[in-house]
Amino acid sequence: MKYESTRGGSKDVFSAEAIKTGIAPDGGLYVPKEKVSVDLKFIEGIVNDTYQERAKKILSLFLSDYTYEELSECIDSAYGDNFSSAEITPVVKLNDQLHVLELWHGPTCAFKDIALQILPHLMVKAIKKTGEKSEIVILVATSGDTGKAALDGFADVDGTRIIVFFPDKGVSEIQKLQMVTQEGKNTYAAAVKGNFDDTQNGVKRIFTDDTVINCLNQNGMKFSSANSINWGRLVPQIVYYFSAYADLIKKEVIKIGDKINFVVPTGNFGNILAAWYAYDMGLPVNRLICASNENNVLTDFIIKGVYDRRRDFFRTLSPSMDILISSNLERLLYEMNGRDSEMIRSWMRDLSEKGIYSVDYETKERIRKVFWGDSSTDAETIASIKSVYEDCGYLLDTHTAVAVDVYDKYMIYTSDMTQTVIVSTASPFKFNSSVAKALFGDEADEKDEFELLELLSERTGWNIPDGLKNLDKKEILHNTVCEKDEMRKTVIKILGI
Ligand SMILES: *Cc1c(COP(=O)(O)O)cnc(C)c1O
């Protein structure tokens, strides 16, 4: 299977090339050229499989230029003892209609591990398969969780170096410590004085900066991306939507062919886009519910068909969703507008020049047929953590709580009785200060994030994940801070070129 760029100005490539380069040379995103479809028999066939077996069957449909053995090696190395659940992405029942898909059992306690534990393996094989001689420099902009997950995934992977930029005030203390204590001879983390959009824009500019690219070339290096614009980030995420469906069949919650809903806490639109690909392949889905925090640019887009980033940026309790430019939406738009790259180019031009674009009526209606969107305030997020804990004894992190709150709103509008899966994107311990505040009120104010880990664990009986223990005792290995217009200089300096 080949991949093409959403902007229509790059040649088609195999998946190894798409994964190696991350973004297409014309600035577009790679999408599969052909539709991948499975039938209900295929889905029945994965019900008794392990997660790894499910992954092998699904990834081989998309990454057809990798051999089955190559994919097996990648999958077996990515999903093993580094996850705290043998099921990798277990589904937990909240009530008769609501289930939680826990995506945070990986080493960094957020869902990005699912993709970033496997991406380096796919990348190393891609380097070999394409005869690449250059060292690959992974450049990442992070709102917190991607950064650590990418550093952990790429640490000491031969033939690669990784540089992560994070907004200095846009990440939690724990997230920051996770990054700046990262070991590995090829890892670098730097704080940027700005917000996530500044950071992401800075990285995007470096990716297309000819001077920097030439400088890298002369030194035998080449950029790639581990952000969710890389197809190798997206495709592993399709697996857990099938896996959740298969688990619900196994638990006899649904019968084969029954439709279910997914509620996805959304930022850059990667996770929910993977859900859409699963739906497009034939997974029985009723609604994909897009949950935003107060940075509700996507929710508004789903309702109105107008993407308008000209609005205030809010720092919320769900920082990994504090995003005004959702890069992966471009892929959905391409799939929904009849694969018209000229139209994509004009919308993206409007977005960068005017901060706004409107899609045509047909595109909007196609999106609305499957997507539903709404948003939550911080107060609603906190209330939902509290009520779910009181009613079900289940701890939600702030991002997952946004999803639960949006689901409650969805139910008020629709009274839909469909079985629904809340996609849980982080361990409650990762965002413990907000979670503790929701449960214990002012008592939480006097404690730091590490005391709160203990408190949360003591009071709830939930275990602190290994990845978050002793972080405050680790040595700080990265202390670079730069202005947002100095990111390029910082890259050159780090690489020593
Ligand atoms: C990255 C992240 C999100 C947003 O996911 P997207 O794929 O960017 O939409 C939500 N929650 C958490 C905890 C995250 O780390």
Side-chain angles (χ1 to χ4, degrees):
M1 156 117 70
K2 285 210 153 182
Y3 288 76
E4 64 191 16
S5 164
T6 48
R7 307 244 175 129
S10 303
K11 67 177 188 352
D12 297 345
V13 297
F14 284 112
S15 69
E17 181 72 22
I19 289 170
K20 189 180 76 184
T21 46
I23 194 164
D26 63 353
L29 308 188
Y30 284 117
V31 290
K33 243 182 125 57
E34 291 145 44
K35 184 178 159 87
V36 174
S37 300
V38 298
D39 54 16
L40 293 180
K41 233 176 148 157
F42 173 94
I43 299 172
E44 258 179 326
I46 63 168
V47 170
N48 292 313
D49 283 349
T50 61
Y51 187 86
Q52 293 80 352
E53 288 162 344
R54 291 169 181 170
K56 287 170 198 177
K57 288 181 183 171
I58 291 161
L59 292 190
S60 58
L61 299 172
F62 285 99
L63 308 181
S64 53
D65 54 320
Y66 286 69
T67 65
Y68 192 77
E69 285 66 39
E70 285 173 329
L71 284 179
S72 291
E73 276 171 37
C74 292
I75 289 163
D76 293 335
S77 322
Y79 307 122
D81 293 346
N82 49 342
F83 279 75
S84 63
S85 163
E87 293 172 82
I88 307 298
T89 63
V91 176
V92 175
K93 180 175 169 178
L94 274 194
N95 63 37
D96 285 344
Q97 198 181 310
L98 204 55
H99 311 266
V100 179
L101 170 61
E102 294 182 344
L103 299 181
W104 39 262
H105 291 277
T108 78
C109 311
F111 92 99
K112 298 196 170 63
D113 284 329
I114 312 275
L116 282 162
Q117 286 296 306
I118 190 169
L119 179 68
H121 300 287
L122 295 171
M123 183 92 68
V124 167
K125 291 216 168 13
I127 293 171
K128 285 211 187 87
K129 293 169 82 64
T130 55
E132 181 64 56
K133 300 278 183 297
S134 307
E135 185 178 18
I136 299 293
V137 178
I138 308 287
L139 207 54
V140 177
T142 184
S143 55
D145 292 332
T146 302
K148 174 60 184 180
L151 288 164
D152 190 279
F154 278 97
D156 292 325
V157 169
D158 286 342
T160 69
R161 284 205 229 183
I162 173 155
I163 306 174
V164 170
F165 285 104
F166 62 91
D168 62 345
K169 299 221 166 51
V171 302
S172 78
E173 189 55 28
I174 284 197
Q175 286 177 318
K176 189 168 168 176
L177 279 174
Q178 279 188 308
M179 290 187 272
V180 298
T181 59
Q182 176 67 46
E183 293 168 9
K185 60 181 187 312
N186 62 339
T187 63
Y188 309 88
V192 178
K193 292 186 187 163
N195 64 31
F196 174 66
D197 283 324
D198 298 327
T199 311
Q200 175 160 264
N201 285 334
V203 163
K204 276 189 189 159
R205 271 198 299 275
I206 297 171
F207 269 126
T208 50
D209 183 325
D210 286 336
T211 326
V212 186
I213 292 171
N214 286 338
C215 191
L216 257 75
N217 280 344
Q218 282 160 14
N219 288 278
M221 298 177 186
K222 212 175 203 172
F223 279 134
S224 185
S225 159
N227 275 97
S228 61
I229 52 173
N230 190 319
W231 180 251
R233 269 284 301 273
L234 218 100
V235 71
Q237 299 183 350
I238 298 173
V239 176
Y240 50 71
Y241 289 99
F242 278 91
S243 184
Y245 189 90
D247 284 347
L248 289 184
I249 292 176
K250 206 169 173 176
K251 293 176 196 226
E252 298 181 352
V253 171
I254 55 168
K255 289 193 294 295
I256 185 83
D258 288 351
K259 290 184 177 179
I260 63 172
N261 299 322
F262 287 102
V263 192
V264 188
T266 299
N268 222 0
F269 209 76
N271 200 356
I272 198 167
L273 182 69
W276 181 83
Y277 275 107
Y279 157 77
D280 190 51
M281 288 166 72
L283 187 70
V285 167
N286 174 49
R287 281 281 165 153
L288 297 175
I289 300 165
C290 174
S292 307
N293 62 27
E294 276 175 276
N295 297 297
N296 56 0
V297 58
L298 276 168
T299 314
D300 283 356
F301 172 73
I302 290 169
I303 296 166
K304 299 180 202 140
V306 178
Y307 196 96
D308 186 356
R309 62 144 303 172
R310 302 168 307 170
R311 60 180 75 206
D312 290 337
F313 174 87
F314 297 106
R315 286 214 174 106
T316 73
L317 298 179
S318 42
S320 301
M321 294 151 63
D322 289 347
I323 290 174
L324 291 180
I325 300 179
S326 298
S327 310
N328 261 306
L329 186 62
E330 180 168 340
R331 284 190 166 107
L332 182 75
L333 295 173
Y334 185 71
E335 301 285 3
M336 293 288 186
N337 79 357
R339 309 195 133 218
D340 183 338
S341 53
E342 199 175 312
M343 215 184 266
I344 295 289
R345 284 201 302 274
S346 103
W347 291 338
M348 292 305 129
R349 200 178 319 117
D350 285 351
L351 181 63
S352 77
E353 286 168 10
K354 303 181 198 135
I356 180 170
Y357 63 85
S358 320
V359 301
D360 55 284
Y361 179 79
E362 279 88 26
T363 302
K364 176 179 138 186
E365 287 308 304
R366 269 183 224 128
I367 292 171
R368 285 171 60 96
K369 217 180 111 204
V370 58
F371 287 90
W372 197 90
D374 209 334
S375 63
S376 303
T377 62
D378 277 351
E380 289 168 330
T381 306
I382 291 289
S384 125
I385 293 173
K386 193 167 158 69
S387 71
V388 169
Y389 187 68
E390 283 168 359
D391 298 346
C392 316
Y394 188 86
L395 273 183
L396 301 171
D397 94 291
T398 48
H399 305 77
T400 312
V402 168
V404 170
D405 180 64
V406 165
Y407 175 70
D408 290 343
K409 289 172 177 154
Y410 171 78
M411 286 303 284
I412 291 169
Y413 279 102
T414 63
S415 306
D416 179 7
M417 296 304 286
T418 306
Q419 289 290 334
T420 297
V421 173
I422 302 283
V423 176
S424 176
T425 50
S427 154
F429 288 96
K430 191 153 192 187
F431 298 92
N432 59 58
S433 55
S434 308
V435 176
K437 180 121 181 94
L439 300 188
F440 316 129
D442 295 342
E443 194 186 340
D445 284 344
E446 297 136 38
K447 301 196 182 329
D448 69 25
E449 286 192 19
F450 295 95
E451 293 167 330
L452 288 174
L453 283 178
E454 303 289 338
L455 181 73
L456 205 55
S457 175
E458 267 166 41
R459 296 276 177 91
T460 63
W462 283 42
N463 293 325
I464 303 174
D466 285 344
L468 301 179
K469 282 184 195 153
N470 299 324
L471 261 182
D472 50 342
K473 301 188 183 67
K474 285 193 175 165
E475 189 188 348
I476 305 233
L477 300 168
H478 310 273
N479 46 25
T480 306
V481 182
C482 71
E483 300 292 337
K484 58 187 181 196
D485 54 5
E486 279 180 345
M487 291 169 63
R488 171 182 167 192
K489 221 165 78 189
T490 307
V491 167
I492 305 268
K493 197 170 147 208
I494 285 174
L495 295 177
I497 56 177

